[in-house]
Amino acid sequence: MKRVLLAALLLASCSKSGPPDLQISDAWARETVLGQTETAAYMTIDNRGSGDDRLISVEAAAPAKAMLHASGSSGGISRMRHMGAGLALPAGTAVQLKPGGTHVMITGLGGPLHTNDVVKLRLQFEKSGPRDIDVSVGAGGR
Amino acid sequence: MQRVRIVLWVLVALAMAALAFLMLRPAQQTPTQQQPMTISSVGGPFTLTGSDGKPFSSVSLGGKPYAIFFGFTHCPDVCPTTLARMVRLRQQLGAGDRPFEILFVTVDPERDGPSEVGKYAELFNSPVTGLTGSPAQIDQVKKQFGIFSQKVPDSNGGYSVDHTSTVLLFDGRGEFSGTIAPEEGDSAALAKLKRITV
């Protein structure tokens, strides 16, 4: 019995299973120029709930596609990779998607994005389900 | 139960050993570190193609200091972040309108022609010179500046490019002066930019 309790305790300390409460703020994407079909979108996802969640995928309006990517630099080399396992959103933590780090890569854009344009994205969360957000396009100099 | 406990302890021991291995093994060598390069040999005169499709020679910089960054236009995050930062630092330097030039050289000449690099450079609302060239020219300039790049297939059937993320700085005499890494703070970066613009 003691072992069962210990195991339960260990599990409890690993993940929080209450309801997550996600607040998404400051969503913006970089401007693009004619001929450029990709951009990156950034935002803050604050999980104010008592349970963990996970961003598992992102969708953009067709024909554009969106994907969760991580950029990183090590040994002076920058790399960008698809985050197949999604992005963990621990309870009580604000996770930032920001330039040079985790971002939503949008590909297949039909035309250039100008400042103040809005890009619609659907974020799929493991527990909170789908969430539609408006991403405002900001100047490339940001 | 005893057996389960033994198995668990063995797993713990294995995990510790793996952790110790990961922590103690020497850092992986990156390709740029393998290239023997002396500081004085970095850079030098070069000829590429400008956004107008005409040859661009480093001679046309006319003795102006410059910051050079290698990337690609299908790069939505690291490249624009780096170039936007260089533009911001140039404004913060407060040493006139254009105390140094910002050069952007593509490492993906197959997709980035003169108009692609030219338009990309316009994203930053401040003068940035976009440069491309033949694959052989780009290879030559990459070698000259100690730049690594490698195509990596992405999940859309296309490719991304891993590449050197540091910006290289050259003074008015064309001498290599230092680098700015993405993870470096602004005050250190500004100090380095001051050094090339005095």
Side-chain angles (χ1 to χ4, degrees):
Chain A
M1 191 60 198
K2 253 186 200 165
R3 284 201 189 90
V4 175
L5 273 176
L6 194 67
L9 203 69
L10 276 171
L11 269 176
S13 66
C14 291
S15 71
K16 291 181 180 151
S17 52
D21 174 14
L22 304 180
Q23 310 277 333
I24 301 162
S25 58
D26 200 26
W28 68 281
R30 220 176 264 286
E31 252 187 333
T32 64
V33 284
L34 192 69
Q36 202 190 354
T37 56
E38 295 96 356
T39 192
Y42 309 98
M43 67 196 77
T44 300
I45 307 175
D46 188 4
N47 185 355
R48 298 178 187 174
S50 58
D52 299 340
D53 207 338
R54 180 173 287 273
L55 175 58
I56 43 180
S57 64
V58 187
E59 291 157 40
K65 283 182 179 170
M67 214 181 266
L68 201 55
H69 270 202
S71 296
S73 175
S74 67
I77 311 289
S78 84
R79 297 175 174 84
M80 188 174 76
R81 296 290 182 268
H82 172 50
M83 293 172 77
L87 175 68
L89 302 166
T93 308
V95 174
Q96 269 192 314
L97 280 72
K98 57 182 180 193
T102 306
H103 60 276
V104 175
M105 171 149 167
I106 306 172
T107 56
L109 290 168
L113 296 176
H114 303 293
T115 301
N116 298 328
D117 282 355
V118 168
V119 178
K120 292 193 177 295
L121 289 180
R122 172 166 290 184
L123 309 180
Q124 263 318 330
F125 296 99
E126 194 172 65
K127 288 187 187 146
S128 305
R131 192 74 69 84
D132 292 330
I133 60 161
D134 284 349
V135 177
S136 58
V137 176
R142 183 164 170 180
Chain B
M1 211 59 209
Q2 184 71 18
R3 193 173 295 162
V4 173
R5 196 184 295 179
I6 290 169
V7 169
L8 281 174
W9 276 115
V10 168
L11 284 176
V12 168
L14 279 174
M16 297 285 282
L19 194 68
F21 170 74
L22 283 175
M23 286 170 69
L24 296 176
R25 72 172 172 171
Q28 239 178 356
Q29 282 248 317
T30 55
T32 41
Q33 287 165 341
Q34 287 163 356
Q35 288 169 8
M37 238 177 155
T38 57
I39 284 180
S40 60
S41 72
V42 178
F46 61 88
T47 301
L48 286 166
T49 305
S51 58
D52 54 3
K54 293 182 184 148
F56 176 95
S57 160
S58 54
V59 174
S60 67
L61 292 166
K64 219 168 178 192
Y66 65 94
I68 188 166
F69 175 68
F70 291 73
F72 62 113
T73 72
H74 290 262
C75 166
D77 181 51
V78 170
C79 306
T81 301
T82 304
L83 290 169
R85 181 182 185 215
M86 290 312 296
V87 164
R88 183 171 51 78
L89 289 172
R90 183 163 64 181
Q91 282 155 359
Q92 280 175 10
L93 201 59
D97 188 30
R98 223 164 138 180
F100 63 91
E101 295 294 310
I102 300 173
L103 310 183
F104 167 71
V105 182
T106 183
V107 290
D108 187 13
E110 290 82 3
R111 289 190 293 192
D112 293 338
S115 80
E116 280 79 17
V117 291
K119 279 184 201 129
Y120 195 71
E122 282 169 21
L123 265 177
F124 307 97
N125 305 318
S126 182
V128 171
T129 306
L131 298 170
T132 184
S134 68
Q137 272 179 315
I138 296 292
D139 273 348
Q140 166 60 33
V141 174
K142 270 166 57 185
K143 206 177 283 176
Q144 230 174 302
F145 286 82
I147 300 301
F148 163 80
S149 76
Q150 187 175 41
K151 288 178 185 167
V152 181
D154 67 18
S155 44
N156 287 335
Y159 64 88
S160 176
V161 189
D162 290 352
H163 59 93
T164 300
S165 53
T166 34
V167 177
L168 282 75
L169 307 177
F170 291 84
D171 65 18
R173 290 167 300 155
E175 301 276 339
F176 176 63
S177 165
T179 58
I180 295 178
E183 53 275 7
E184 201 170 316
D186 281 357
S187 55
L190 279 168
K192 289 177 181 178
L193 289 171
K194 276 197 186 116
R195 223 160 52 202
I196 61 164
T197 50
V198 283

